[in-house]
Amino acid sequence: MKNSKMKSMAIKKEEMEKKEEEEEEPMSPTGRMMLAPKFNIFIILFMGYYSKIDPILFKKCIHQTLLKHPRFSSILVASGASFRWRRTAVDLDRHIFVPDVAAATESPDEFVAEYASRLSEIPMDAVAKPLWEFHVLNVKTSDAEAVVVMKIHHSLGDGVSLVALTHACSRKLDDPASLPVLPLPSKKRREGGSGGRGLLKFIWMVVLILFYTLVDVAAFVATLLFLRDVKTPVGAGRGVRLSRKRFAHRIVSLEDVKFVKNAMNVSVNDVALGVTEAGLSRYHNSLYVKNGEKGGENNLPKNVSIRSTVVFNLRPSPTIEDLAEMLEKEELNGMWGNVIAIVLLPFSIALQDDPLTYIRRAKSTMDRKKLSLAHQCACITMKLTSSFFGIKAAARLTRAVFRNTTFTFSNVMGPTEEVNLFGHHLRYIAPSVCGFPQSLIIHYLSYNDKIIISIGADEKLIANPDQLCDDLV
């Protein structure tokens, strides 16, 4: 009788273990790389609201939306070299924090900045709980009545997908049952040719693609091995990923950006890149003045060029409707995960008499990069390295790309109208990143009739990111 009972218990235990294994999902190689030593990357998301946050309503909305996503209700299970996501019960009190903000009365903006800066230093335990948390700061700042700071580990997904997921959790203000509208990516009509002329155009295009791809692949390999940006006041040194980050943002008019875009027949991204180059040039110029190296209006050394990494997901981005359906069914259906590619963009640090020169240069650079397949080659290189030499080797190569360049640039499209997010009217959303070997990251995110420019900076090298924000706008 005793043996029969023990046998029955053993069978039940095996069935439970088998059920758990079936519910587990393998972690993607890129996700594992995000958790590798010396490459522990977090996304810091600032959400400003028009009203004070009701913590009870906020938790209820999180439970009804975000918690249905499998990644946000899973812990990481490691077994030897195998890493898997396992669904688990989520205690929202361990993920949503409402700190005392009594100390924020004198300088609320500085209080929020300091609070987020401290968050950038604190690690998260992937085994103890899912890798995300919210910090509700019911303090009035210059841009909002209350701010929520969200911290998410990058292994949960790429930045574009995570921002899109946030939008999928939001609803229209005038119709709480409807999803917000996201802008569709613009598709330029290709000019075709007929007969021999069309064939010549096609051959010339193939030649350009091959040439630019070879040039960019050579530059990427050189960056992996030895090619490093010239030293500038904002260039990172060793150990920068462990340093505290400071965050700042500015809100500008999207209509102003579109006016320049239409007048110059360029894209919004071209304008953002031109503004970034102009702002970085002004900021560097002010630093050289402070260092007393030169005097006069133009204090920059000649021929200073730095590079930016642009990281994006090669996996087709799910639509907001797909993500909403994912939350409803609580299934990923192959629409989630990091398939990372990297593009290197050159930036010239120089003051121009004509400010539009920066935008013309940006358009020229982007037109050339669109004819290159180097990002596909970079992705394949990382995949092969991961397969043959392991995740640590792939992380080491990726780390080398960031370490040998100066900063990261990102531009993401948001809703075309203001929305209700987690039960409250959202005024702005400003993303940033910490935990990688660069001292600076610049994000642009459109929302309704505005663009939010947000900066994450190493506080040792860029002690006043607000000044850099002012130089950008």
Side-chain angles (χ1 to χ4, degrees):
M1 184 72 178
K2 187 176 180 180
N3 289 339
S4 176
K5 188 176 181 179
M6 290 180 65
K7 186 176 181 180
S8 176
M9 290 176 65
I11 292 173
K12 285 184 179 180
K13 186 178 179 181
E14 288 181 5
E15 289 177 351
M16 289 178 65
E17 290 177 351
K18 186 177 180 180
K19 187 178 179 181
E20 284 183 351
E21 287 181 2
E22 289 176 352
E23 291 180 350
E24 292 176 0
E25 292 185 37
M27 193 178 200
S28 68
T30 308
R32 288 173 58 192
M33 185 176 69
M34 296 291 183
L35 284 164
K38 299 182 180 182
F39 204 71
N40 208 8
I41 304 179
F42 291 92
I43 296 172
I44 303 289
L45 205 62
F46 294 83
M47 295 176 285
Y49 288 89
Y50 280 101
S51 62
K52 298 296 181 185
I53 303 297
D54 178 355
I56 296 176
L57 176 60
F58 193 84
K59 287 183 180 181
K60 180 182 177 182
C61 293
I62 293 292
H63 186 271
Q64 293 173 344
T65 55
L66 200 63
L67 214 58
K68 292 183 178 181
H69 192 289
R71 289 289 179 270
F72 285 78
S73 56
S74 299
I75 57 174
L76 185 62
V77 179
S79 177
S82 175
F83 293 83
R84 305 179 71 85
W85 295 108
R86 176 184 293 173
R87 296 295 289 269
T88 185
V90 178
D91 180 4
L92 285 179
D93 290 332
R94 299 180 64 199
H95 291 269
I96 301 176
F97 306 96
V98 187
D100 181 17
V101 294
T105 53
E106 292 185 3
S107 181
D109 289 324
E110 179 60 27
F111 176 86
V112 173
E114 180 63 24
Y115 189 95
S117 183
R118 289 199 304 269
L119 274 184
S120 70
E121 290 184 299
I122 303 172
M124 296 175 75
D125 189 349
V127 179
K129 66 177 186 178
L131 292 168
W132 59 273
E133 56 191 35
F134 289 89
H135 298 259
V136 179
L137 307 178
N138 270 321
V139 54
K140 183 177 181 179
T141 65
S142 56
D143 291 324
E145 291 293 325
V147 178
V148 175
V149 182
M150 185 180 186
K151 183 177 180 180
I152 324 168
H153 199 279
H154 221 317
S155 61
L156 269 63
D158 68 284
V160 174
S161 296
L162 288 169
V163 170
L165 176 63
T166 304
H167 300 325
C169 294
S170 65
R171 293 296 182 268
K172 289 186 176 182
L173 290 174
D174 56 356
D175 185 2
S178 299
L179 292 167
V181 178
L182 291 178
L184 295 174
S186 59
K187 293 183 179 179
K188 291 188 177 181
R189 190 173 59 185
R190 293 176 179 267
E191 293 184 3
S194 59
R197 188 177 178 185
L199 180 61
L200 287 175
K201 281 187 175 181
F202 174 76
I203 294 173
W204 178 242
M205 187 65 66
V206 171
V207 170
L208 287 178
I209 291 173
L210 290 174
F211 175 75
Y212 289 141
T213 299
L214 287 173
V215 170
D216 288 345
V217 167
F220 185 79
V221 172
T223 302
L224 286 176
L225 300 177
F226 62 87
L227 184 61
R228 190 164 193 169
D229 282 1
V230 64
K231 182 66 176 176
T232 64
V234 301
R238 291 189 176 276
V240 69
R241 67 177 185 84
L242 299 174
S243 300
R244 272 178 46 143
K245 300 298 183 291
R246 300 288 295 182
F247 304 100
H249 72 269
R250 292 292 184 273
I251 300 174
V252 299
S253 170
L254 178 58
E255 291 305 314
D256 290 346
V257 174
K258 287 183 176 180
F259 178 81
V260 177
K261 162 189 172 293
N262 295 331
M264 299 188 66
N265 192 27
V266 297
S267 68
V268 170
N269 192 63
D270 294 335
V271 177
L273 285 168
V275 166
T276 301
E277 186 175 78
L280 286 172
S281 297
R282 285 195 291 266
Y283 182 73
H284 278 81
N285 188 56
S286 67
L287 292 181
Y288 283 111
V289 170
K290 289 180 181 179
N291 292 338
E293 294 186 11
K294 291 184 180 181
E297 294 182 1
N298 190 344
N299 306 286
L300 293 170
K302 292 183 179 179
N303 303 321
V304 176
S305 180
I306 60 177
R307 291 173 300 165
S308 162
T309 56
V310 178
V311 183
F312 58 96
N313 197 354
L314 287 178
R315 185 191 296 273
S317 298
T319 65
I320 191 171
E321 290 78 15
D322 291 335
L323 291 171
E325 184 180 355
M326 180 196 301
L327 294 177
E328 185 68 28
K329 295 181 177 180
E330 301 186 33
E331 296 177 356
L332 295 179
N333 296 325
M335 293 190 296
W336 198 259
N338 291 300
V339 184
I340 297 299
I342 301 174
V343 172
L344 303 180
L345 295 180
F347 285 78
S348 177
I349 303 302
L351 298 181
Q352 303 290 344
D353 295 329
D354 180 5
L356 298 181
T357 301
Y358 297 109
I359 298 175
R360 295 189 191 99
R361 280 177 43 82
K363 176 175 170 50
S364 175
T365 298
M366 290 309 300
D367 287 345
R368 194 187 78 73
K369 290 295 180 180
K370 289 172 185 175
L371 295 176
S372 173
L373 300 177
H375 60 282
Q376 297 276 5
C377 298
C379 183
I380 293 171
T381 300
M382 296 305 172
K383 283 185 176 181
L384 292 175
T385 303
S386 175
S387 299
F388 289 105
F389 303 103
I391 294 297
K392 289 184 178 179
R396 194 176 297 115
L397 286 182
T398 307
R399 203 163 58 241
V401 176
F402 286 105
R403 189 175 60 245
N404 290 336
T405 52
T406 302
F407 74 104
T408 292
F409 173 89
S410 172
N411 183 20
V412 180
M413 293 186 296
T416 58
E417 57 190 337
E418 293 197 342
V419 298
N420 184 302
L421 180 60
F422 304 132
H424 299 77
H425 186 179
L426 182 70
R427 187 175 192 276
Y428 72 84
I429 182 168
S432 196
V433 174
C434 61
F436 65 107
Q438 283 183 332
S439 61
L440 177 64
I441 183 164
I442 301 176
H443 282 88
Y444 290 75
L445 190 145
S446 64
Y447 173 57
N448 189 27
D449 59 352
K450 58 182 77 77
I451 286 184
I452 298 92
I453 305 174
S454 56
I455 287 176
D458 177 79
E459 68 174 7
K460 293 180 181 177
L461 291 172
I462 306 172
N464 186 10
D466 287 286
Q467 181 191 340
L468 179 53
C469 275
D470 291 337
D471 287 332
L472 288 172
V473 301

